[in-house]
Amino acid sequence: YPPGAIRAMMQPMDSERRRVILLFLDGVGLGEDDPAINPLAGDAYPTLRALLDGRRLVAQTGRLSTADAELIPTDAALGVPGRPQSATGQATLLTGVNAAQHLGEHYGPRPDARLRALLDEHSIFLRLSQAGRSPYFCNAYPQRYFDAIRRGRRLLSAIPYAAVVAGQALLTYEDLCAGRALSADFTGEGWRSELGYPDAPIYSPREAGHALWRLSAPYDFVFFELWQTDLLGHAADRQGAIAFFQRFDAFLAGLLEVVDLARTLIIVTSDHGNVEDCSHGKHTANPALTLLLGAERQMHAASISGLADFAPIILRFLGVPEPETTRSPGKA
């Protein structure tokens, strides 16, 4: 690793801090128990299978509570007809307000002025920051991303937009090298092979799980976005999805090896279905995947039915009162 990354990973962990770590898997639902179309229907994921007592991440498993995890099929349709979309789904997850109902439609992939206004007021990043907590969006972006934004050729998606609204600068290659950020593929391989950064730090999936825990040291809430799952779903690339989920399984194993589960709530969730049905390359109406691991998971699992339920849970876990303005008719 570059020296900066080693120093960051050696920082002492605040053993008294309560944390939420949210692992956002874009476009992952709970689909049919059919390995011919659903990459999650196979047996290639030992960490996930162990957490779920040998059950699979498929619709037939349903709501499940084990000694180590809570599996929750999560409503992504939000009471609005049509296929769920990324911008409204992510905005709902980030605000606790039913964005699709607020707009009267599913919308995406990136937020328009209506959704940006919602994030400007209700983003979980902003609310935590205003309450004196420390939210952190830990994804690093290459220079070409910033160049495209500056030239007006690309709009921020809901998650980086919400972080920026709260005052965080998006993280760069320098942050990646210093151990303050992770690449969306978490290993860093894509930065070397596809983005033209031959000296980018490389992690095994398990090492990346360790690195995520180390970089979380100063923060109360860490959000990590893994967007490749949605791209693999749109490409109907079942084999590519299987390979990704195998890496993610090992990444999760690495995180669980080092995380303080007594004081940390890990949320694995998504905004809509897609990759769980590789027969067509479109979003699905399936419930979104949600897993809760760690502290108080059973208590908080009981409060989750749809995407609007996550922001209130995060605020409660971190001891931040939920503003009355979010308890509106637009909340699912």
Side-chain angles (χ1 to χ4, degrees), residues 78-328:
L78 302 171
V80 176
R83 294 179 188 270
Q85 298 298 320
S86 296
T88 41
Q90 291 171 24
T92 301
L93 176 68
L94 290 163
T95 64
V97 176
N98 185 331
Q101 204 171 83
H102 180 73
L103 268 59
E105 63 175 333
H106 295 290
Y107 183 85
R110 294 178 177 83
D112 61 2
R114 300 171 297 172
L115 290 173
R116 290 195 296 271
L118 198 63
L119 292 163
D120 288 345
E121 184 175 359
H122 297 297
S123 160
I124 186 70
F125 288 94
L126 183 63
R127 280 189 268 164
L128 289 172
S129 182
Q130 290 172 337
R133 301 302 195 274
S134 50
Y136 191 60
F137 176 47
C138 70
N139 286 66
Y141 289 89
Q143 186 57 46
R144 67 175 69 175
Y145 179 87
F146 296 102
D147 292 342
I149 295 291
R150 187 178 63 253
R151 293 170 186 159
R153 300 181 62 183
R154 185 178 189 131
L155 295 174
L156 291 177
S157 59
I159 295 163
Y161 181 85
V164 169
V165 164
Q168 180 184 326
L170 296 182
L171 304 178
T172 66
Y173 178 63
E174 179 181 357
D175 296 301
L176 186 70
C177 290
R180 296 187 294 264
L182 287 177
S183 61
D185 69 354
F186 51 85
T187 65
E189 292 283 356
W191 281 65
R192 290 195 179 189
S193 63
E194 298 177 25
L195 297 178
Y197 291 88
D199 298 320
I202 296 294
Y203 302 104
S204 72
R206 282 181 180 266
E207 289 169 342
H210 296 177
L212 176 62
W213 178 238
R214 296 308 306 170
L215 68 81
S216 74
Y219 306 107
D220 301 302
F221 174 61
V222 176
F223 194 112
F224 183 34
E225 179 183 16
L226 301 102
W227 44 257
Q228 298 97 325
T229 39
D230 196 46
L231 293 185
L232 290 162
H234 284 303
D237 185 355
R238 186 180 63 87
Q239 286 302 129
I242 290 171
F244 176 88
F245 283 121
Q246 287 176 317
R247 293 191 298 273
F248 177 77
D249 190 80
F251 166 76
L252 187 60
L255 176 60
L256 292 174
E257 286 171 353
V258 294
V259 68
D260 175 11
L261 288 175
R263 302 184 65 83
T264 304
L265 177 64
I266 299 174
I267 301 172
V268 182
T269 194
S270 189
D271 50 353
H272 54 74
N274 184 353
V275 74
E276 78 283 0
D277 185 349
C278 286
S279 67
H280 52 66
K282 298 178 182 178
H283 290 185
T284 73
N286 291 327
L289 161 69
T290 295
L291 280 173
L292 297 189
L293 312 171
E296 301 175 8
R297 63 185 180 275
Q298 290 179 321
M299 177 178 71
H300 293 298
S303 301
I304 297 175
S305 59
L307 294 179
D309 296 322
F310 292 98
I313 284 169
I314 293 164
L315 293 172
R316 286 199 297 271
F317 185 84
L318 296 176
V320 177
E322 184 186 356
E324 291 292 333
T325 53
T326 65
R327 303 188 185 104
S328 67

Side-chain angles (χ1 to χ4, degrees), residues 28-103:
V28 181
L30 294 171
E32 295 181 27
D33 191 4
D34 181 358
I37 62 170
N38 185 356
L40 288 168
D43 296 321
Y45 318 115
T47 304
L48 291 166
R49 291 295 299 277
L51 288 170
L52 299 177
D53 289 346
R55 307 291 291 276
R56 296 186 178 92
L57 289 170
V58 295
Q60 286 89 330
T61 299
R63 200 173 184 105
L64 178 67
S65 179
T66 72
D68 299 304
E70 309 297 315
L71 173 63
I72 308 158
T74 304
D75 175 34
L78 302 171
V80 176
R83 294 179 188 270
Q85 298 298 320
S86 296
T88 41
Q90 291 171 24
T92 301
L93 176 68
L94 290 163
T95 64
V97 176
N98 185 331
Q101 204 171 83
H102 180 73
L103 268 59

